[in-house]
Amino acid sequence: MFTFGAILATIFLFIFGVFLIWALIQLFRKKNTRKPFLLSGISLAVAIVGIVLVFIYPAPSATQNTAEKAESKTIKEDDKVTGASNQKKKSESEDKSKKEKQAAELKKTQALEESKKLKEQQAKEAELKKKKEAAELAKKQEQEIIALEEQKKKAAELEEKKKQEAKKKATAAATAPPVDTVYGQLPDKKLTKRSSELYSDEKNGITYIVGDNNNIFQVEVDFDMGLGINIEMDKSLLIEHAMDYMAGDADLIQTKSDREFVYESKKYNKKYDVLFVNDNDENIVTRVIVSKHM
């Protein structure tokens, strides 16, 4: 307590002096001195308390000091031993902490390396996948282009085939004899089928005989005997009926008798036999027959 009182008295006496000087300066400047004087008074009171403590608790004797010094030395040695032990523990703790930190850093570094390797592997896999997809896409596009070219080629071939067929049909139509004529096809009108080769137009008294490919082989036109169609008098009428079943450019090329004739179409390169038939051996014609030339 002696030492504490002395220290307390010394410090606050110094503080008292500082505040007193401040108060005098404030007084000299004619400014407010209340606060400096108050603080200096408080400092003086605390210093007096310290002085009182010095007198109440005087300094120890020399023997006491020696014992205290010995005790203090022992304490210091104990403190030194304790400090060394604490220092050792602290050093060990620091070493342990350092090792743990190094291990943590190493583990962190390894983790980062693993993460880096994993990312690099994933990047490589992604790049390979991307290249593979690009290659597959390019292959697919190439296949589509090839397929499109094939389709275009087939379409062109089909179109060409259609054109050729149309050309053939047009050529065939141009070279085929007219319908409802010998060598041509049956007319598109109501006919009675009497057999696989015999058709008749009963209304007009016309009979058709067909041959290969359903082409007309022969046409017979019947006349009523009551009409009295004479070979000599009505020859032009009979020829007109015969001409109805031949190509339009057919011309007479041969007269076999007064009732047998041969006609030819140069356009279609076809020949026709024409026959006027009188069934009662008179000059009355009952049938005109136009057939393929034999």
Side-chain angles (χ1 to χ4, degrees):
M1 293 298 292
F2 173 79
T3 305
F4 174 74
I7 294 171
L8 187 65
T10 302
I11 292 172
F12 277 92
L13 279 174
F14 177 76
I15 294 172
F16 166 72
V18 172
F19 282 122
L20 183 61
I21 293 169
W22 182 23
L24 291 173
I25 292 171
Q26 291 293 89
L27 182 63
F28 178 75
R29 291 181 178 179
K30 295 181 181 181
K31 291 185 179 181
N32 188 4
T33 60
R34 182 179 178 183
K35 186 175 180 181
F37 278 118
L38 178 61
L39 293 173
S40 63
I42 293 171
S43 300
L44 179 60
V46 175
I48 291 170
V49 170
I51 293 169
V52 171
L53 288 173
V54 170
F55 283 103
I56 292 173
Y57 300 100
S61 61
T63 305
Q64 188 179 355
N65 287 338
T66 303
E68 287 180 356
K69 286 181 180 178
E71 186 180 356
S72 176
K73 184 178 180 182
T74 303
I75 292 170
K76 287 181 179 179
E77 288 177 355
D78 291 340
D79 289 342
K80 187 176 181 181
V81 172
T82 304
S85 177
N86 290 337
Q87 184 67 28
K88 184 178 180 182
K89 289 180 180 179
K90 184 178 179 181
S91 178
E92 290 175 353
S93 177
E94 288 177 353
D95 289 341
K96 184 179 180 181
S97 177
K98 187 177 180 180
K99 288 179 180 178
E100 289 177 351
K101 186 176 180 181
Q102 288 176 348
E105 289 291 334
L106 180 60
K107 190 175 181 181
K108 185 178 179 181
T109 303
Q110 289 175 347
L112 288 173
E113 288 293 330
E114 290 294 328
S115 177
K116 186 177 179 181
K117 287 180 180 179
L118 181 60
K119 286 182 180 179
E120 288 177 353
Q121 183 65 26
Q122 289 176 346
K124 286 180 180 179
E125 290 177 355
E127 186 66 23
L128 287 173
K129 184 179 180 182
K130 188 176 180 181
K131 287 181 179 179
K132 185 177 180 182
E133 289 176 351
E136 289 177 352
L137 180 61
K139 185 177 180 181
K140 185 178 180 182
Q141 289 177 344
E142 185 179 358
Q143 289 175 346
E144 289 177 352
I145 291 171
I146 292 172
L148 184 61
E149 291 296 329
E150 288 292 330
Q151 289 179 355
K152 287 182 178 180
K153 185 178 179 181
K154 288 181 180 179
E157 289 176 352
L158 183 62
E159 186 66 23
E160 183 64 24
K161 186 177 180 181
K162 287 181 179 180
K163 287 181 180 179
Q164 292 296 332
E165 289 178 354
K167 187 176 180 180
K168 287 180 181 179
K169 287 180 180 179
T171 303
T175 57
V179 175
D180 200 15
T181 65
V182 174
Y183 296 103
Q185 295 290 310
L186 288 170
D188 186 16
K189 60 182 179 179
K190 187 176 181 181
L191 299 174
T192 301
K193 186 175 181 180
R194 301 190 177 280
S195 68
S196 60
E197 299 177 350
L198 188 63
Y199 296 82
S200 64
D201 179 0
E202 296 178 354
K203 181 179 179 181
N204 298 305
I206 302 170
T207 301
Y208 298 91
I209 299 174
V210 296
D212 297 336
N213 300 321
N214 218 31
N215 292 328
I216 298 174
F217 176 79
Q218 180 176 298
V219 180
E220 293 186 9
V221 182
D222 295 332
F223 298 105
D224 190 346
M225 187 177 292
L227 294 175
I229 298 176
N230 186 277
I231 291 177
E232 295 178 358
M233 301 294 295
D234 302 306
K235 185 176 181 179
S236 60
L237 176 64
L238 294 171
I239 291 173
E240 285 181 8
H241 278 287
M243 290 294 296
D244 289 340
Y245 301 98
M246 292 185 286
D249 67 328
D251 289 324
L252 178 64
I253 61 171
Q254 183 180 1
T255 301
K256 292 183 177 181
S257 68
D258 60 347
R259 63 189 64 210
E260 291 183 67
F261 311 93
V262 177
Y263 284 77
E264 181 182 21
S265 169
K266 291 183 179 180
K267 179 178 180 180
Y268 299 104
N269 193 26
K270 304 293 182 183
K271 291 183 179 181
Y272 307 89
D273 290 331
V274 177
L275 177 63
F276 301 151
V277 180
N278 55 340
D279 294 321
N280 55 2
D281 295 329
E282 295 181 1
N283 288 332
I284 304 300
V285 177
T286 56
R287 287 182 294 164
V288 171
I289 300 174
V290 181
S291 59
K292 292 181 179 182
H293 179 65
M294 302 300 291

